[in-house]
Amino acid sequence: MAQCVQSVQEFVQDSFVPMVAVLCSEEAERVTRKNNLSFAELLRPFCRLTSEGHIRDPNNQMQVVKNLRICVNNVATSLNTASSALSPAQRRMLNEVVLSCQPQEGAVSNVITAGDYNLNFSATTPWFETYRENFLQSMPASEHEFLNHYLACLLVVSSTESGPVEQFLKLSQEQHRIQHSGEYTNPKWFIPNTLKYYVLLHDMNEGDEQRAETVYEDMKQRYGSQGCYLLKMNSRTFSEEVDEQIPDPWSQYLHRSNLQNQDILDDLAPSVNSADCENNISTAEVDCHQTTDKDGVPNSLESHPLQLDTVSTSGSLYTLGAVNTEPKKGARDPESLPGVSGSHGACLTLNDHDHIRQFLQEFTFRGLLPHIEKNIRQLNDQLVSRKGLSRSLFTATKKWFGGGKVPEKSVSEPKSTCGLLYPPEAPELQIRKMADLCFLVQHYELAYNCYHTAKKDFLSDQAMLYAAGALEMAAVSAFLQAGAPRPYPAHYMDTAIQTYRDVCKNMVLAERCALLSAEILKSQGKYSEAATLLIKMTSEDSDLRSALLLEQAAHCFINMRVPMVRKFAFHMILAGHRFSKAGQKRHALRCYCQAMQVYKGRGWSLAEDHINFTIGRQSFTLRQPENAVTAFREILTNDSRQTATQQGAFLREYLFVYKSVIAGNEVDLPQLPLPCILSSATRIYFGHDRRLAEGEKQAATHVSLDQEYDQDLAAMWCNLEEQLVAASNRGIVPVNFQPTQCCLNSQTDNLRYPLAVVEEPVIVELTFRNPLKVSLALSDLSLLWRFTANAVSPSETSDESSITNEETLALGVTQNDEIVTTEVIQEFQMDPEETKTARLRLLPHRTGQLNIVGVVYNLATSLSGEKAPSTEGQQTLDLIVVRGRQDLKIQGPRLNQTKEEKMLVRHGPDHRLDPIITPPMPLMEVFFLQFPTALLCGEIRKAYVEFCNVSSVALCGLRVVSTHPDFFTFGSQATTPLSPSSTENCSAYKTMVVPPQSNWVASEMTVSPEDFSQLSGVMEIPIDGNTLQPGESTQLPLWLRGPDQEGVHEISFLFYYESTEKGLKMR
């Protein structure tokens, strides 16, 4: 069990205190109402006595009474008989006090390390202590015990009455009528001759003090100086502006008093609609609560929290959309009930507080304790005088017929005598009455002996209710005895609980017995026994009680010498479930969150799914949609073992909650968990898709997204590019040379910012994975980007100068096309557990820095999970469509150069999604015509190559390099026919260009192998003017010579060209 503010001895003592009734005249009530309090409420904060009292037992031994508290209540008569269960009003009152007591922010918490578990949970459970206190104080008076029967009655009259003595006489007669007329079953009185204590109330601002003193002297003559008291109060006049701040000790008592007042009103008027008797807690406490109907409170969520399979939507969050989580306004305004709002004790000074405290001490020490002492002596004398004949004869009869000793540890097939009632003068009841009196004045040894004797008599008569009560109090008395002369008889308590619950069917008394025994066992370090006892007391008749006891059992498991962490978590889950059924949503959410610490990341996937699902639902019900979204995300992102139907239910719940979160705030798109994006597999391609073929033309292949990345091939292209760059740069490779990379992936060098050309597309290939066993329907899929125009350097981009398409795409509108055109994929279907790629395009129209930050899309699912055929035979879908985003965050390669980097895990940057948009640059396409697929060794064949400038910028410096430079050579363009015939194609001649003359003819000569021998692998391509204008194309003959070695030869060409405009970045 959790730590409590009180010690176990204080708790048990305060559970059973002397009861005092109050009867006031109307004038006296008016005087106390000036302070917004009744007379009983006025006394309540001062009912614990600070000084010691003394009594003498029947043996004339002095007994000290320490830290005594008395309970003062107004007399409330009713005809209701004692019930074995709490009334609906009492259940509602207990539910309200638990509802109003929530964990405080920053409260003390326990941090327990058990093995590899680090748990953080609340050290105290004030809601349980509040419930326990209110439960014990709201217990109905019973015939089988006298502990909560009234011992005395305060008769209160104001000094301003015309005849105070006559008023005292009327109140005394009224008390006598209530007790002895037989008209009322409640309240119950301890003994026939109830102590009457006469209190004269004097208002210092109204009455005549001299007259009050005179009346008081007359009272002392009539009732004796120990039977009356003059209480002076209201020494200060009430005003709105009070100079002196007087403490208000009443507030902590009045909430409970208000609920109990309502309880009484409900009992007096049972025909009133329960909807008219709603929450009576203050507005500040009600604002954050929801009304429910378990344990007497209306409940709006009727689905079973453990029934996760929501194929039918009756228990899903869709039905909660219309739930009003605001508290209902009761028909009776709480403000109209006494002592709920406003200041209390406004007319009282600190001296008046002292007068009240002194009055209670005087009443207790000079009136109540002597009265109890006298009755203990009288009862003892009666029992001694009767004991000789009746008890000895009775005992002899039992011995003769073998009655002997009745086993105490178990109840063996008792007769149905739990309804047996003794007459008031029965000697067995006189023993019980004496035991209760001794217990109330802390004479526990004598109380134990009396309880033990009564227990034997009750068991002999098979009066099981009486026997269980005697067993219970005998165990408590044995525990409270100073010096502990005997061990705590836990088996007494077990027998009492079993009898109350199974024989007498009285769960109220069984619960009280369990609460006392569990606290005692906990104080002795017997946490396992306490937990077992608490778990046994859970049942279906009260979800609130079961929830509280299961939570305390969980605390017992975690507070054991060797903490039982998993039992703690399991019983926290059970407690959360019962809290949820009882309508205590906040407490349910707290229990599930505490249990989640144990199950998270331990491989208990199904348990995690259940907890997260419940946390999501409870958070949504409590209007915490952000927490609900987080919990549902956990279900969908983890590798789930749920069935497809269950995953579909989870997904629908998530989308419903998600949609409620973004309602009215479509600009800021939250993150969607589905589908998963494999960020490291993201590939980016810069440039147009090349034309593959046009008629008889065969396009030169280029790097594309359809090709798998080959590291050896990439190294070969890099080597060829270095040769070209060196040839164009006087044979020297620049220091800052970087190879051209048109397609970036996880294996390329992404440490620097890539270059993209304005008006040329940037294609991003994303890999999506659907982890669920249900299909996902994505639509309006497009990229999110941020653009900064003409930044000095990529690192200097700022959000203020950036332009983004997030706001427009969030609304589903495509804008900013004048900066970057964003392609949208209208539909993108993903099958269960499928991995699928999507290629998204951006077309930049301005130069600057482009950052691709994420992807935005609509995610949809069906409410029913599957398509349902309509009456017309068509397919209909009831869809929930939400719009969200996922950010693209690519982790760079791990750094492993320095010692520090080797010791730590650090990753370098990856800039493949951050291209720099450059001004227009030339773009050339190459086509081969009549290119042979097979050659004989040494065979020379003629083909044609066509160069097309498809950009808006002229290009020059056309060069080519090949892995086999002796494989080809170029002919001249001047005399080459545009459409070569087949004979020319097979000719082994080359055309020579000569200076033009008047009668010139083309001369021909045989091509020799030496013409194919190149001094360098780089060859300049002869085109007119060495320049190719935008949109122009040209053809050149290409002579091919078969290699001297047979086999399959793969020959690669790399063409190089530059822009005619200087100062641009190299192509």
Side-chain angles (χ1 to χ4, degrees), residues 60-108:
N60 211 29
Q61 297 294 321
M62 185 66 70
Q63 297 291 329
V64 179
V65 182
K66 298 180 181 180
N67 200 29
L68 180 66
R69 184 177 73 87
I70 62 174
C71 182
V72 181
N73 292 323
N74 290 319
V75 172
T77 58
S78 71
L79 301 177
N80 296 339
T81 58
S83 173
S84 61
L86 295 176
S87 68
Q90 290 172 318
R91 285 174 175 263
R92 185 162 55 250
M93 184 267 291
L94 292 174
N95 203 303
E96 294 293 349
V97 297
V98 174
L99 194 65
S100 62
C101 188
Q102 299 292 335
Q104 297 180 352
E105 295 293 335
V108 179

Side-chain angles (χ1 to χ4, degrees), residues 681-698:
T682 301
R683 299 197 297 168
I684 297 90
Y685 178 78
F686 302 101
H688 291 283
D689 287 335
R690 304 306 171 91
R691 291 177 290 175
L692 297 180
E694 289 184 357
E696 60 180 4
K697 295 181 181 179
Q698 181 181 357

Side-chain angles (χ1 to χ4, degrees), residues 7-70:
S7 67
V8 60
Q9 286 79 9
E10 293 173 338
F11 159 65
V12 176
Q13 287 178 7
D14 286 352
S15 301
F16 306 99
V17 295
M19 304 285 291
V20 179
V22 173
L23 278 176
C24 287
S25 67
E26 292 184 5
E27 184 65 18
E29 194 68 26
R30 183 189 66 80
V31 172
T32 58
R33 279 294 166 196
K34 290 183 178 180
N35 297 287
N36 203 17
L37 298 164
S38 68
F39 187 76
E41 291 170 345
L42 181 73
L43 303 182
R44 202 153 287 156
F46 310 101
C47 285
R48 185 176 296 280
L49 305 180
T50 55
S51 55
E52 295 180 354
H54 299 83
I55 64 166
R56 290 188 179 274
D57 63 9
N59 295 327
N60 211 29
Q61 297 294 321
M62 185 66 70
Q63 297 291 329
V64 179
V65 182
K66 298 180 181 180
N67 200 29
L68 180 66
R69 184 177 73 87
I70 62 174

Side-chain angles (χ1 to χ4, degrees), residues 169-223:
L169 181 60
K170 287 182 181 180
L171 293 178
S172 178
Q173 292 172 349
E174 176 68 12
Q175 188 278 331
H176 188 273
R177 184 184 68 83
I178 291 173
Q179 180 175 357
H180 297 288
S181 67
E183 298 179 19
Y184 308 104
T185 56
N186 287 310
K188 297 187 182 296
W189 305 88
F190 205 108
I191 50 181
N193 185 21
T194 300
L195 171 66
K196 299 181 180 67
Y197 197 83
Y198 302 86
V199 182
L200 183 64
L201 200 61
H202 176 63
D203 190 330
M204 298 294 289
N205 289 317
E206 286 188 5
D208 183 359
E209 189 172 359
Q210 186 63 39
R211 179 175 181 272
E213 293 287 351
T214 303
V215 173
Y216 179 55
E217 289 298 326
D218 184 28
M219 290 169 59
K220 288 195 288 187
Q221 295 296 325
R222 287 175 177 269
Y223 311 120

Side-chain angles (χ1 to χ4, degrees), residues 506-581:
N506 193 318
M507 288 300 295
V508 175
L509 293 172
E511 181 178 354
R512 181 187 72 180
C513 195
L515 291 174
L516 295 171
S517 184
E519 195 65 34
I520 293 172
L521 290 171
K522 185 194 80 168
S523 69
Q524 297 177 340
K526 300 177 180 178
Y527 289 103
S528 179
E529 291 85 344
T532 302
L533 176 62
L534 292 168
I535 294 170
K536 284 182 180 179
M537 282 304 299
T538 59
S539 61
E540 291 299 323
D541 65 318
S542 174
D543 289 316
L544 181 62
R545 179 189 70 235
S546 300
L548 290 164
L549 297 186
L550 284 168
E551 182 183 14
Q552 294 305 307
H555 281 280
C556 287
F557 287 124
I558 203 65
N559 285 319
M560 294 177 67
R561 186 173 58 86
V562 178
M564 305 179 74
V565 179
R566 284 182 292 187
K567 279 198 173 185
F568 162 78
F570 179 71
H571 287 85
M572 271 296 181
I573 294 294
L574 296 178
H577 169 55
R578 299 304 291 270
F579 270 131
S580 180
K581 291 180 67 178

Side-chain angles (χ1 to χ4, degrees), residues 430-444:
Q430 303 308 311
I431 297 177
R432 172 64 198 248
K433 191 175 292 185
M434 178 177 171
D436 287 346
L437 283 175
C438 295
F439 187 90
L440 291 174
V441 293
Q442 302 174 11
H443 195 341
Y444 299 119

